[in-house]
Amino acid sequence: MGVSCDLEVDVNGEEIFIVNKDIICSYSARLSKLFGKLRGGRTQTLKVIFHDFPGGAENFELMTRFCYNNGKIKINSSNLSPLYCAAHFMEMNKSASFAPNLLEQTEKSLEEIRYWTWPELLVALRQCQDLLSIAHSSGLLKKCLDSLVGRLTLAGSETSPCPSTFSPESFDTRSTESSKTSSFQATWWFEDLAALNPILVEMVTKLLVSRKFDNFIISKFLFYYQKSRFVLATSSDQKRRITETVVSMLYPLDRSAVPCKGLFGILRVAPSLNLSKRFREKLECMIGSQMDQATLDNLLVPSPAGTNYLFDVNLVLRFVKSFVGKGIRSVPLERLKKVASLIDLYIAEVAPDPCLKPSKFLDLVRALPDFSRDSYDAIYHAMDMYLEVHAGLSEEEKVNVCCGLNYEKLSSEACKHLAQNMKFPSKSAVQALTSQQCKFKTLLRETHQSNSSIDLPCSFVDNDIKGKKDEAGEQIVLHAGVPDDLLAENEKLGAHLQGMQCRALELEKLCRKMQTQMTKIMNSKLSSHSSARSLPRLCS
């Protein structure tokens, strides 16, 4: 080159360059300030070691070409990112010629980013992954992300402006169904952005959310990203970072945009990835908030290592807590009843677990309020199974478990079965029969009220037959007889009353029969215990 090489530069331990100090310093303020502190008269070769030069040895060589070529270099999308970062790192804001310095040239080229094609933009963004620290601090990454997200936002549901994975030969619009076309139009960019690392995906997602991008599309992309990256991940640590990023980005989205099935898919792999507590809580909160969309199979999650339960009961209880959220009254009754039915199925599934403690069983029963269930028959049958498996429970423990029943919401068949069920404590049999007696008494009272109301048509007829006087005091007969339709209605009411009276007699007989049956059951149960044992009080 005709110039002396008096400076050795070790670039990140990758390669050593021997260059002319004066030429490099004429463009780099960083090296100029470094060597300006040295006293003159030094003839030996100097050495500089860089441990974090952006882009490594390849990019340093590109930068030296700029310096040795009198500040001239062709800048395009494929080298702009590394040159821009090198210019910032070396503080190349000075020039030894009339040509603009490297920082000015790269910034000017960056202003044309809006004219880049989609593949060119992706190249620059992927290069920023390797230059993440300085690309972020210099503002380069922000400009690339703004341009990329801006295109996605403007494109919306339109076709790709220039997707790198699209070619006319592979996409025949004449033979493709409209649904497939629509799906492609919304998701054409998924494969391109799936190549980004979790940090950049997080940045892209946050920008999309801030631009009010369709949450359904964002959610779909995040699940696609997790699935595609898992295939390429070589360690559980990589999978954990990917999963935590996906969970973190799904959390702020509209809950209706995040499929419950996909969340349970993440939940299944979470134990093996050792997710941090913060991300596990976010995942459980998202699942719990839409628990009415879950199925029984979703809830049957094996218990974590170190526990004896067959299924993770505590997890389901946390789901219910998240579902209730800010208050039980804020949840629509329809959704609440749907979750209650699901929990009843779950209770029936875990009831045979011999390791399930009575307190946990009762926690499941009481996880939702009483008004969320129209019937307690399913709870009774699950409780019957539980008491059969846990026959060794004490009488007090059985009573505590049975306190989760609402006897007033048991059907007559369930009450009759309970009254004869020896697995249940005698107190429960009394409460079941007492509840049925109250139902019968209420029905009888309603029957008598219906009986008294049957006289209303007759009195109405009498009033119509009575004469009325006008203003002059003369008597005027308004109705001389009873209309035919009123007589027919009266006959119907009479027949209804007769039926109600017969039903009342039947109920009275049934009530007396149940009282006799209850006495026999009590005597048989009490005879199996000590004669000194007193009848326990009813559950409050």
Side-chain angles (χ1 to χ4, degrees):
M1 294 183 181
V3 292
S4 61
C5 297
D6 53 357
L7 176 63
E8 287 186 11
V9 182
D10 184 343
V11 181
N12 302 350
E14 299 174 6
E15 192 172 343
I16 296 177
F17 293 84
I18 302 177
V19 296
N20 182 271
K21 174 175 68 69
D22 293 334
I23 293 178
I24 302 298
C25 289
S26 63
Y27 291 96
S28 172
R30 180 171 184 170
L31 288 181
S32 181
K33 288 185 289 185
L34 175 64
F35 295 126
K37 299 177 181 179
L38 299 177
R39 296 180 181 179
R42 291 178 177 267
T43 58
Q44 71 273 23
T45 300
L46 300 174
K47 186 173 183 178
V48 176
I49 299 176
F50 291 122
H51 296 287
D52 52 355
F53 189 89
E58 183 179 354
N59 197 33
F60 184 85
E61 182 179 355
L62 192 63
M63 183 210 69
T64 56
R65 288 180 183 178
F66 168 83
C67 299
Y68 276 89
N69 199 30
N70 296 321
K72 297 178 183 178
I73 192 171
K74 185 178 180 180
I75 301 176
N76 51 45
S77 60
S78 62
N79 62 15
L80 185 142
S81 294
L83 283 175
Y84 186 83
C85 292
H88 271 273
F89 185 82
M90 298 295 287
E91 299 176 14
M92 301 181 74
N93 54 2
K94 57 185 291 189
S95 178
S97 63
F98 294 104
N101 61 60
L102 183 57
L103 191 58
E104 290 176 347
Q105 292 185 48
T106 52
E107 286 180 343
K108 184 177 180 179
S109 298
L110 193 58
E111 292 175 359
E112 299 176 359
I113 192 172
R114 60 182 179 275
Y115 302 115
W116 289 3
T117 63
W118 177 259
E120 288 175 337
L121 186 57
L122 287 176
V123 169
L125 194 58
R126 288 167 184 165
Q127 288 176 338
C128 287
Q129 290 187 141
D130 302 324
L131 311 166
L132 194 57
S133 178
I134 192 165
H136 189 275
S137 61
S138 65
L140 172 64
L141 182 58
K142 184 180 185 303
K143 292 179 181 179
C144 290
L145 289 174
D146 283 341
S147 179
L148 181 137
V149 172
R151 294 187 188 199
L152 293 178
T153 304
L154 289 175
S157 61
E158 298 176 1
T159 56
S160 162
C162 188
S164 60
T165 58
F166 172 77
S167 61
E169 293 79 13
S170 63
F171 187 73
D172 186 3
T173 56
R174 293 175 298 177
S175 62
T176 305
E177 299 176 1
S178 59
S179 60
K180 293 182 179 179
T181 302
S182 176
S183 176
F184 172 80
Q185 291 173 346
T187 63
W188 58 264
W189 49 275
F190 282 15
E191 186 175 349
D192 293 331
L193 297 195
L196 302 179
N197 63 30
I199 297 176
L200 288 190
V201 166
E202 183 174 348
M203 293 180 177
V204 170
T205 304
K206 286 181 178 179
L207 273 177
L208 287 172
V209 172
S210 67
R211 303 282 181 88
K212 308 299 181 183
F213 198 78
D214 189 344
N215 280 198
F216 286 93
I217 302 300
I218 297 176
S219 171
K220 193 172 183 179
F221 165 68
L222 290 170
F223 283 111
Y224 175 88
Y225 177 77
Q226 186 211 16
K227 183 178 180 180
S228 60
R229 294 290 290 189
F230 261 41
V231 176
L232 302 174
T234 57
S235 66
S236 59
D237 188 55
Q238 289 179 337
K239 292 181 178 181
R240 178 183 57 79
R241 288 199 299 270
I242 293 168
T243 304
E244 288 182 347
T245 298
V246 169
V247 170
S248 181
M249 292 300 98
L250 287 171
Y251 189 73
L253 299 182
D254 189 323
R255 290 289 185 267
S256 62
V258 183
C260 192
K261 181 180 179 180
L263 293 174
F264 274 106
I266 296 178
L267 184 69
R268 293 287 181 181
V269 300
S272 62
L273 301 178
N274 194 26
L275 296 183
S276 65
K277 183 180 179 181
R278 179 164 60 98
F279 294 105
R280 288 201 311 271
E281 289 176 348
K282 285 184 177 182
L283 180 60
E284 292 174 7
C285 182
M286 286 189 288
I287 293 175
S289 64
Q290 48 182 324
M291 197 175 175
D292 54 320
Q293 304 299 320
T295 64
L296 177 60
D297 287 340
N298 293 147
L299 298 185
L300 296 177
V301 179
S303 61
T307 58
N308 296 325
Y309 301 156
L310 292 177
F311 301 105
D312 197 343
V313 175
N314 290 325
L315 177 65
V316 174
L317 289 173
R318 292 196 296 271
F319 286 160
V320 176
K321 184 178 180 181
S322 297
F323 177 76
V324 173
K326 297 180 180 179
I328 195 68
R329 298 294 177 182
S330 63
V331 181
L333 185 58
E334 183 180 356
R335 295 184 65 202
L336 196 63
K337 288 186 175 182
K338 193 172 181 180
V339 173
S341 299
L342 178 62
I343 292 298
D344 288 354
L345 293 174
Y346 182 78
I347 294 173
E349 198 69 27
V350 301
D353 184 357
C355 296
L356 185 62
K357 296 180 179 179
S359 59
K360 286 299 176 185
F361 182 87
L362 195 57
D363 286 342
L364 286 171
V365 174
R366 290 177 167 175
L368 290 171
D370 180 74
F371 64 83
S372 63
R373 293 184 177 92
D374 294 326
S375 170
Y376 268 72
D377 282 14
I379 295 295
Y380 164 68
H381 293 302
M383 199 170 287
D384 182 35
M385 175 64 71
Y386 183 81
L387 292 178
E388 181 177 348
V389 174
H390 298 79
L393 294 179
S394 66
E395 190 74 8
E396 183 180 358
E397 287 176 323
K398 290 182 179 181
V399 170
N400 288 335
V401 169
C402 293
C403 283
L405 279 177
N406 184 337
Y407 297 91
E408 294 180 358
K409 289 189 176 183
L410 287 176
S411 65
S412 299
E413 292 77 10
C415 281
K416 183 177 180 181
H417 188 273
L418 192 158
Q420 300 173 353
N421 195 336
M422 300 301 293
K423 293 190 289 290
F424 281 72
S426 56
K427 176 186 285 188
S428 297
V430 174
Q431 283 186 288
L433 294 174
T434 302
S435 174
Q436 286 301 297
Q437 279 187 323
C438 292
K439 288 182 182 179
F440 292 146
K441 289 179 180 179
T442 302
L443 186 57
L444 287 171
R445 186 164 53 252
E446 291 175 354
T447 302
H448 290 311
Q449 290 177 352
S450 299
N451 184 19
S452 61
S453 64
I454 198 66
D455 295 333
L456 290 177
C458 296
S459 61
F460 174 74
V461 173
D462 292 341
N463 289 335
D464 278 345
I465 297 177
K466 288 181 180 179
K468 294 184 180 180
K469 293 184 178 181
D470 59 4
E471 294 179 355
E474 296 180 357
Q475 187 176 16
I476 301 176
V477 178
L478 295 179
H479 297 287
V482 180
D484 293 339
D485 57 346
L486 192 59
L487 287 173
E489 182 67 22
N490 193 25
E491 290 177 359
K492 290 181 180 179
L493 289 172
H496 177 68
L497 174 61
Q498 186 176 2
M500 293 289 287
Q501 288 173 337
C502 292
R503 176 60 178 162
L505 292 174
E506 292 176 1
L507 289 174
E508 287 177 354
K509 292 178 181 179
L510 181 60
C511 188
R512 286 194 297 270
K513 183 178 179 181
M514 289 189 68
Q515 286 178 332
T516 304
Q517 185 181 17
M518 181 174 67
T519 303
K520 291 180 179 179
I521 292 172
M522 291 301 303
N523 291 334
S524 64
K525 288 197 172 188
L526 291 176
S527 63
S528 61
H529 298 280
S530 174
S531 58
R533 179 180 171 184
S534 60
L535 186 64
R537 291 184 297 174
L538 299 181
C539 287
S540 55

